Amino acid sequence: MKKMILESIAWFFLTVTVIAMLNIAGMFPTDFRKHESQFSSQLIQESKAGFGQIKTQVYSIRNTSELDWNYLHYAIIVRDGSKVIYSKYSVEPSWKVDANSEANISVEIPVLGGNVHSELVIGNLREKSIFRI
């Protein structure tokens, strides 16, 4: 009887340890959609490059969550009024932002005439883990 109890305790601790290690390794990733409302982006700088056909925009992305995030999936959407005239989707694997802080990202878009407004939309992020880059 005592042997069976000790084996049960050992299996319990082994199971808990394996689940904890898988969680640390990112096997159960945090769903970004649950934290999406804790992010905001703001255009902080804009400059024309080269012969004026391309412009560089710098956006500040604010993270008010308690988690560190990386591997940014984003879209740049340029509108003339309510009409989308340009969009670009991209991934930045090396981008990261710590909990309760902000980080910048620089993007290039074509110079478009008219009364245009551009916006950075975050598509997805990954929670940082010591086992993932």
Side-chain angles (χ1 to χ4, degrees):
M1 181 72 161
K2 186 176 181 182
K3 182 180 176 186
M4 192 164 76
I5 292 173
L6 290 175
E7 285 177 356
S8 296
I9 292 171
W11 278 110
F12 172 77
F13 283 113
L14 179 64
T15 303
V16 169
T17 301
V18 168
I19 290 172
M21 292 301 290
L22 289 173
N23 188 41
I24 290 171
M27 296 303 290
F28 311 111
T30 301
D31 186 2
F32 172 68
R33 287 172 196 61
K34 293 179 181 176
H35 300 274
E36 194 170 4
S37 65
Q38 296 173 311
F39 285 84
S40 61
S41 64
Q42 178 181 3
L43 178 63
I44 59 172
Q45 184 181 351
E46 184 173 76
S47 60
K48 290 184 180 176
F51 295 102
Q53 297 178 11
I54 300 289
K55 64 181 171 181
T56 302
Q57 294 182 325
V58 179
Y59 287 87
S60 174
I61 298 175
R62 178 87 182 130
N63 172 16
T64 59
S65 76
E66 299 296 324
L67 301 172
D68 298 338
W69 298 87
N70 66 0
Y71 212 93
L72 173 66
H73 296 244
Y74 70 94
I76 295 292
I77 301 170
V78 181
R79 291 185 173 91
D80 187 356
S82 62
K83 181 181 176 185
V84 174
I85 58 173
Y86 176 82
S87 64
K88 173 185 174 182
Y89 180 80
S90 191
V91 177
E92 290 293 330
S94 62
W95 185 88
K96 58 185 105 179
V97 64
D98 294 329
N100 294 307
S101 67
E102 56 188 75
N104 295 343
I105 184 161
S106 177
V107 297
E108 289 185 346
I109 64 170
V111 174
L112 302 165
N115 186 21
V116 298
H117 171 74
S118 61
E119 172 185 17
L120 182 134
V121 178
I122 300 170
N124 199 12
L125 288 169
R126 293 182 187 171
E127 181 186 5
K128 282 188 354 187
S129 167
I130 60 172
F131 293 101
R132 285 192 280 176
I133 297 175

